[in-house]
Amino acid sequence: MPSFDVSPTLTLSSSQDVSAAVNVSWAHGDNTIKVTLADSMVQNGVSTDGLKLKLSNDRFEVGYDVSNNAPCLKLNTHVTLQDKRVDLVYRNAIKAGSSSLEAKVSVDDNNSASLTYDLSNFNAPSHRDCSVKWTYTSGDLELSPAYNLGSESLSVGAKYSVDADNSLKLNYDLNSSDASLEWTNTAAAGGGGDLVVTATTNLADSNAAKQMPTIKLEKTWTIDG
């Protein structure tokens, strides 16, 4: 019998609205199956609103948003150029009309670079459909600046392992002023898997300092089948 990872999530928005969902995932061969059930499924009678399905492995990922009839696809592969492995990731969300191709290469033990080309409204090759990202890792610290050539916007990500059980992740988009801070604890009370707490806000909002950010809590438990 397979074991199941059950991850309830609770989100409290800055406007004090509360929403909840639960993710259930399990392994089937070399695949992972994930089902997401949101509280919106029972808010106005029983419906499929908030029901999502996903099948994934190392090579591909297929998802389906049942209520919106919205499939999505992710394909992973790689090529070798001048003795360098280049990882390629293709993403396509049909209903959203978005697709992209990402190429990532390891420069050395501490640095990697990636180039993502937005294929959503492709008409002819253009550098303005590209975004670039550089990732630098040193010990417990990882820094990831990224630049979108189309919007001419810079974003910065950082990860830091505080100790064996705790890590922090920060993201900030200088164009939109959206910011997020995520704390992960792998030895949380109650056993099971990780506890993840994420806070998000928009720093351009003049009231951001006066109101609570949107808080999301997620805790994973493993149930043996």
Side-chain angles (χ1 to χ4, degrees):
M1 292 290 291
S3 60
F4 296 85
D5 286 336
V6 180
S7 304
T9 65
L10 182 67
T11 303
L12 176 62
S13 72
S14 57
S15 58
Q16 305 299 307
D17 293 328
V18 179
S19 61
V22 61
N23 299 307
V24 181
S25 61
W26 66 95
H28 180 72
D30 63 349
N31 303 300
T32 299
I33 300 170
K34 179 179 178 181
V35 179
T36 298
L37 309 166
D39 60 356
S40 53
M41 295 180 64
V42 294
Q43 285 180 345
N44 298 301
V46 179
S47 71
T48 59
D49 185 22
L51 173 61
K52 298 179 181 179
L53 311 172
K54 183 184 292 184
L55 173 69
S56 61
N57 57 37
D58 293 338
R59 301 174 301 280
F60 70 88
E61 180 180 295
V62 178
Y64 192 73
D65 184 332
V66 177
S67 62
N68 294 313
N69 292 314
C72 60
L73 174 67
K74 176 183 175 183
L75 298 175
N76 303 311
T77 188
H78 69 273
V79 297
T80 302
L81 298 175
Q82 296 184 344
D83 297 326
K84 280 285 189 180
R85 172 176 168 136
V86 180
D87 292 310
L88 300 173
V89 181
Y90 173 74
R91 298 178 176 88
N92 191 319
I94 297 174
K95 277 292 183 73
S98 66
S99 60
S100 66
L101 179 64
E102 178 186 7
K104 181 178 180 180
V105 61
S106 176
V107 178
D108 55 35
D109 291 342
N110 300 101
N111 296 275
S112 64
S114 66
L115 171 68
T116 301
Y117 194 95
D118 187 351
L119 299 166
S120 303
N121 298 300
F122 183 82
N123 182 39
S126 171
H127 72 280
R128 296 188 65 81
D129 291 321
C130 295
S131 59
V132 293
K133 181 179 179 181
W134 190 272
T135 301
Y136 170 73
T137 304
S138 178
D140 296 327
L141 178 65
E142 178 181 294
L143 298 175
S144 302
Y147 187 74
N148 187 307
L149 278 70
S151 60
E152 298 182 349
S153 59
L154 177 68
S155 60
V156 179
K159 297 179 183 178
Y160 180 66
S161 296
V162 179
D163 53 37
D165 299 325
N166 298 277
S167 62
L168 296 172
K169 182 165 65 174
L170 172 68
N171 288 287
Y172 178 57
D173 188 311
L174 277 72
N175 183 49
S176 65
S177 295
D178 289 331
S180 67
L181 177 63
E182 179 181 290
W183 168 56
T184 300
N185 179 271
T186 59
D194 297 350
L195 169 67
V196 182
V197 181
T198 307
T200 59
T201 190
N202 186 283
L203 298 179
D205 186 347
S206 59
N207 295 317
K210 304 175 184 178
Q211 62 187 16
M212 186 182 73
T214 295
I215 302 293
K216 178 181 178 182
L217 298 94
E218 181 174 2
K219 169 65 179 173
T220 300
W221 283 275
T222 298
I223 301 174
D224 294 328

